């Protein structure tokens, strides 16, 4: 495998390494929130008067949610204990949420391993202040951060001990609603290798140093500066973002995000747990909390069925039928039937990477074509029997207008293989109009157990059938055929990161009729309006390096279908691209791992 030295910030600026190249593979919320008012959807959640609930709302959060307050003794020891267990448990079964009540905490260094989430329990990040660090590094992997998946930090204010907090992550590791009173380093110690990542609704007072990070998406935030770029750095609605300059340096900068609605979050109102539901914003820029309490509504935990691992899908569906929302506490949930969300405004919120495993080929979760469903914070892990789909937003043919109150899919991650053999024909299907996919990693595993061209067969990553769908932070990798297929009209994607499947045995295995390979991102020929910004596809055909991929992106050649700032990369010359989009863009060549770019198409 090629080796790319990176012992200084200067050398990192041209770093082309990738993990397998390395051989490692409504009104201000204060009043409604404190008075216990909630959205119209929640008002409809009460059970019929004459029918008592069979299942209770609320309750304790289970053994894998660890709650601290400033007077708790032994906080650092407990953080260290969880980290020791989770540091290298990439495909383990442990799941943890570390929650901090509002207040000030001194001298902490919360190191985060796999399937670990840390969050504050205030309405604003500044309500929960840590004089210390929340750290992700890569000591477990010899300085390589490209597999630092499945961990998160939310709703905290940090004053780093050294002035700079280290957050060296890869995919599925969101940094949301964070206030860093200093700088943020996105690379591991010694700069090493890194391939992430995602920031939203956060304020970094100092500068962000990506260093070895190959790509990154930052949304609706504020930064004091941005140090460098490797391949693809994308910003939308970010105060202090670098100016548009793709491809040299490769910054793609949109002044605002067309539509956004932040992820729901758990917080404390006195001693009562509630879930805050941020409101929808159009043409968003900057954080939701910078000028005080965020805007939105609030639901008491008593309106949620607090699920624990071992509960059946039938029980989860009974809770939904009763009008309860779902809070999935950390752990693994086996499903013998789909979770069916039929009620407008339903919230399904996971803590600590709660993981849904569909058994016997079922779909894990489906929604009806209704307004305002919020799906957030959980992982779907395909089972050994092939599922035709794993997540369906809206039924086939969904056509209702949800522009005023869309469904959001946020930090919902999908995995096929890695923790064991898994199969799914299509991972995620979006049928409902106006859906917002805000940060997902849909991954057919390239390492771990149960991995092979047919062993974890998964032909398609995401299929978008609904019109007016927006994706902000789309990571989709390694599918046997198309990674993304887009059939809906007026779709938009801001940031896309992709790798084609490494393990294709030969050219014939990926042949798409007369076309060499399936594009990573395919817009259907029937689409007349579509737009994308900051999209990248990489190939690493290490089983047969002679494989040729015709292009990374395929779309109808029509004025209404537009792309901005595209790139394709051959990682170390293991396979090559002939073009970037359709017949446009220079071929990749050699082993230099230099992107081929297209600034504007058509």
């Amino acid at each position: 495998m090629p080796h790319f030295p990176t012992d200084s910030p200067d050398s990192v600026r041209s770093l082309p390494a990738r993990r397998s190249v390395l051989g490692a593979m409504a009104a201000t919320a204060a009043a409604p929130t404190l008075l216990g008012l909630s959205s119209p959807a929640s008002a409809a959640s009460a059970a019929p008067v004459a029918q008592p609930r069979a299942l209770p709302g609320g309750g304790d959060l289970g053994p894998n949610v660890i709650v601290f307050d400033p007077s708790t003794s032994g906080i650092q020891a407990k953080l260290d204990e969880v980290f020791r267990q989770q540091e290298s448990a990439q495909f383990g079964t442990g799941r943890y949420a570390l929650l901090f009540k509002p207040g000030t905490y001194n001298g902490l260094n919360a190191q985060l391993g796999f399937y670990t989430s840390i969050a504050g329990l205030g309405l604003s990040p500044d309500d929960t202040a840590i004089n210390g660090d929340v750290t992700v590094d890569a000591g477990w992997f010899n300085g390589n951060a490209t597999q630092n998946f499945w961990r998160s930090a939310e709703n905290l204010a940090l004053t780093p001990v050294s002035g700079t907090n280290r957050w060296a992550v890869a995919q599925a590791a969101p940094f949301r609603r964070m206030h860093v009173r200093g700088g943020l380093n996105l690379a591991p110690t010694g700069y090493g290798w890194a391939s992430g990542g995602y920031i939203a609704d956060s304020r970094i007072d100092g500068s962000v140093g990506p260093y070895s990070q190959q790509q990154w998406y930052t949304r609706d935030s504020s930064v004091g500066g941005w140090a460098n770029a490797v391949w693809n750095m994308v910003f939308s609605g970010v105060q202090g973002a670098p100016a548009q300059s793709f491809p040299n340096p490769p910054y793609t900068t949109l002044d605002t995000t067309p539509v956004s609605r932040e992820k729901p979050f758990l917080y404390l109102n006195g001693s009562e747990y509630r879930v805050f539901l941020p409101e929808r914003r159009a043409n968003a820029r900057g954080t939701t909390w910078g000028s005080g309490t965020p805007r939105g509504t609030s639901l008491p935990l008593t309106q949620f069925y607090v699920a624990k691992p071992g509960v059946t899908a039938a029980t989860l569906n009974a809770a939904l039928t009763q009008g309860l929302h779902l809070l999935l506490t950390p752990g693994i949930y086996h499903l013998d039937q789909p979770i069916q969300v039929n009620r407008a405004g339903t919230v399904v919120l996971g803590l600590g990477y709660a993981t849904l495993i569909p058994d016997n080929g079922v779909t894990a979760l489906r929604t009806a074509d209704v307004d305002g469903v919020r799906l957030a914070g959980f992982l779907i892990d395909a089972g050994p029997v092939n599922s035709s789909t794993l997540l369906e937003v809206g039924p086939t043919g969904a056509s209702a207008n949800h522009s005023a109150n869309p469904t959001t899919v946020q930090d919902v991650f999908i995995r096929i293989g890695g923790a064991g053999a898994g199969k799914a024909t299509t991972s995620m299907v979006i049928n409902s109009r106006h859906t917002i996919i805000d940060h997902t990693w849909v991954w057919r595993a390239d390492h771990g157990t149960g991995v092979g061209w047919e062993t974890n067969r998964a032909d398609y990553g995401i299929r978008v059938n609904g019109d007016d769908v927006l994706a902000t932070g789309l990571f989709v990798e390694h599918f046997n055929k198309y990674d993304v297929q887009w059939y809906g009209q007026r779709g938009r994607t801001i940031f896309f990161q992709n790798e084609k499947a490494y393990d294709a045995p030969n050219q014939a295995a990926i042949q798409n009729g007369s076309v060499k390979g399936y594009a990573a991102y395919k817009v259907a020929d029937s689409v007349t309006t579509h737009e994308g910004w900051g999209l990248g596809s990489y190939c690493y055909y290490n089983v047969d390096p002679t494989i040729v991929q015709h292009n990374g992106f395929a779309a109808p050649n029509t004025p209404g279908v537009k792309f901005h700032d595209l790139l394709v990369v051959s990682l170390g010359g293991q396979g090559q691209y002939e073009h970037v989009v359709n017949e446009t863009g220079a071929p990749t060549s050699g082993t230099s791992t230099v992107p081929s770019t297209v600034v504007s198409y058509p």
Side-chain angles (χ1 to χ4, degrees):
M1 298 291 181
H3 173 69
F4 303 99
T6 57
D7 22 36
S8 73
D10 290 333
S11 67
V12 169
R13 291 176 185 270
S14 60
L15 176 73
R18 182 67 174 155
R19 59 176 169 268
S20 287
V21 176
L22 307 172
M25 325 293 131
T28 300
T33 296
L34 298 179
L35 292 174
L37 300 181
S38 57
S39 64
S42 69
S45 65
V49 173
Q51 181 179 340
R53 284 179 172 160
L55 295 168
D60 73 89
L61 299 177
N64 297 326
V65 175
I66 303 168
V67 181
F68 304 102
D69 66 44
S71 66
T72 302
S73 62
I75 297 177
Q76 187 65 55
K78 188 62 178 180
L79 296 174
D80 292 345
E81 177 190 340
V82 173
F83 178 63
R84 281 193 300 270
Q85 178 180 319
Q86 299 301 113
E87 180 182 12
S88 58
Q90 183 170 176
F91 298 110
T93 58
R95 303 286 188 274
Y96 290 95
L98 310 173
L99 305 183
F100 286 75
K101 293 181 181 181
T104 299
Y105 301 79
N106 294 312
L108 296 182
N109 181 18
Q111 300 181 80
L112 299 188
F114 287 97
Y115 314 109
T116 305
S117 297
I118 188 170
L121 288 170
L123 265 179
S124 165
D126 289 334
D127 293 341
T128 310
I130 293 179
N131 293 316
D133 296 80
V134 172
T135 301
V136 178
D137 208 339
W140 74 279
F141 203 33
N142 300 314
N144 176 0
T146 62
Q147 291 184 26
N148 280 349
F149 313 139
W150 304 306
R151 61 201 77 196
S152 66
E154 299 184 48
N155 207 27
L156 293 165
L158 306 177
T159 304
V161 171
S162 70
T164 300
N165 189 75
R166 186 180 304 280
W167 185 255
V169 298
Q171 288 80 1
F175 197 80
R176 288 185 181 267
R177 292 178 55 77
M178 295 290 287
H179 183 187
V180 180
R181 296 166 175 162
L184 186 64
N185 184 339
L186 303 179
T189 301
Y191 300 105
W193 306 273
S195 180
Y198 176 91
I199 293 171
D201 201 22
S202 294
R203 176 179 171 182
I204 318 303
D205 292 346
S207 184
V208 179
Y211 305 118
S212 57
Q213 282 289 353
Q214 293 153 354
Q215 67 278 313
W216 199 277
Y217 175 51
T218 307
R219 178 182 63 71
D220 299 348
S221 294
S222 172
V223 299
W226 195 273
N228 72 291
V230 178
W231 288 341
N232 192 31
M233 298 287 164
V234 180
F235 308 83
S236 67
V238 178
Q239 298 164 340
Q244 169 72 31
S245 58
F246 187 92
N248 187 27
Y251 293 133
T252 298
T253 303
L254 287 72
D255 189 58
T256 62
T257 304
V259 185
S260 66
R261 188 175 69 193
E262 298 302 331
K263 178 184 173 186
F265 61 91
L266 190 69
Y267 76 102
L268 275 172
N269 176 27
S271 61
E272 176 196 28
Y273 283 107
R274 301 182 69 91
V275 173
F276 193 81
L277 308 178
E279 72 173 16
R280 173 188 175 276
R281 296 198 291 169
N283 300 313
R285 180 171 172 83
T287 68
T288 63
W289 49 270
S291 57
T293 305
R295 296 174 65 89
T297 55
S298 175
L299 296 172
L301 194 63
T302 53
Q303 292 189 18
F304 285 77
Y305 178 73
V306 180
K308 311 293 199 312
V311 69
T312 65
T315 299
L316 296 174
N317 283 326
L320 290 168
T321 300
Q322 290 175 196
L324 293 170
H325 306 271
L326 297 182
L327 185 73
L328 305 173
T329 65
I332 295 174
Y333 298 76
H334 282 270
L335 307 174
D336 60 0
Q337 60 180 273
I339 298 172
Q340 182 65 49
V341 177
N342 293 326
R343 190 180 71 257
T346 299
V347 179
V348 180
L349 176 61
L351 301 178
Y353 288 82
T355 301
L356 308 179
I357 301 180
D359 295 328
N360 302 318
V362 303
T363 297
L365 190 149
R366 292 188 174 119
T367 76
D369 191 23
V370 294
D371 273 358
V373 173
R374 304 184 195 226
L375 309 177
F378 55 89
L379 171 66
I380 300 175
D381 203 355
V385 177
N386 185 73
S387 295
S388 60
T389 60
L390 294 172
L391 174 66
E392 295 179 17
V393 178
T396 300
S399 60
N401 186 321
H402 304 296
S403 57
N405 192 6
T407 285
T408 44
V409 181
Q410 299 177 286
D411 300 348
V412 173
F413 309 117
I414 294 179
R415 178 174 69 197
I416 301 96
K423 293 184 178 182
T425 304
T426 305
S427 289
M428 184 185 297
V429 179
I430 307 295
N431 292 315
S432 288
R433 293 180 61 192
H434 302 100
T435 298
I436 300 172
I437 309 168
D438 176 44
H439 190 226
T440 188
W441 184 38
V442 182
W443 184 57
R444 175 181 169 265
D446 61 279
H447 62 272
T449 60
V451 172
W453 185 249
E454 297 295 342
T455 305
N456 63 329
R457 182 84 193 188
D459 282 352
Y460 308 109
I462 295 180
R463 178 175 175 138
V464 178
N465 296 319
D467 295 340
D468 307 292
V469 171
L470 171 65
T472 52
L474 194 60
F475 299 73
V476 189
E477 298 190 296
H478 304 153
F479 286 84
N480 295 78
K481 292 184 178 179
Y482 290 118
D483 298 276
V484 173
Q485 297 172 285
W486 208 296
Y487 289 86
Q489 299 288 351
R490 298 176 299 280
R492 293 173 290 183
T493 296
I494 304 173
F495 183 89
F496 172 67
Q497 185 265 322
N498 165 263
E499 285 181 344
K500 295 303 299 174
Y502 298 161
D503 55 345
N506 49 50
Q507 187 77 45
I510 65 161
Q511 195 69 12
N512 181 14
S514 62
V515 179
K516 299 172 185 174
Y518 292 81
Y521 189 106
K522 167 66 174 175
V523 180
D525 294 343
S526 58
V527 172
T528 58
T529 306
H530 188 90
E531 196 159 9
W533 297 262
L535 314 182
S537 177
Y538 322 146
C539 74
Y540 183 73
Y541 289 117
N542 63 318
V543 176
D544 181 358
T546 68
I547 289 175
V548 175
Q549 178 79 27
H550 184 63
N551 50 34
F553 305 90
N557 188 5
T558 183
V561 176
K562 303 174 183 179
F563 292 103
H564 314 273
D565 302 354
L566 302 176
L567 70 145
V568 296
V569 181
S570 168
L571 303 176
Q574 306 292 294
Q576 301 290 347
Y577 290 91
E578 291 181 325
H579 299 286
V580 179
V581 52
N582 293 346
E583 310 302 315
T584 299
T588 59
S589 63
T591 61
S592 58
T593 316
V594 174
S596 177
T597 62
V598 169
V599 174
S600 182
Y601 183 88

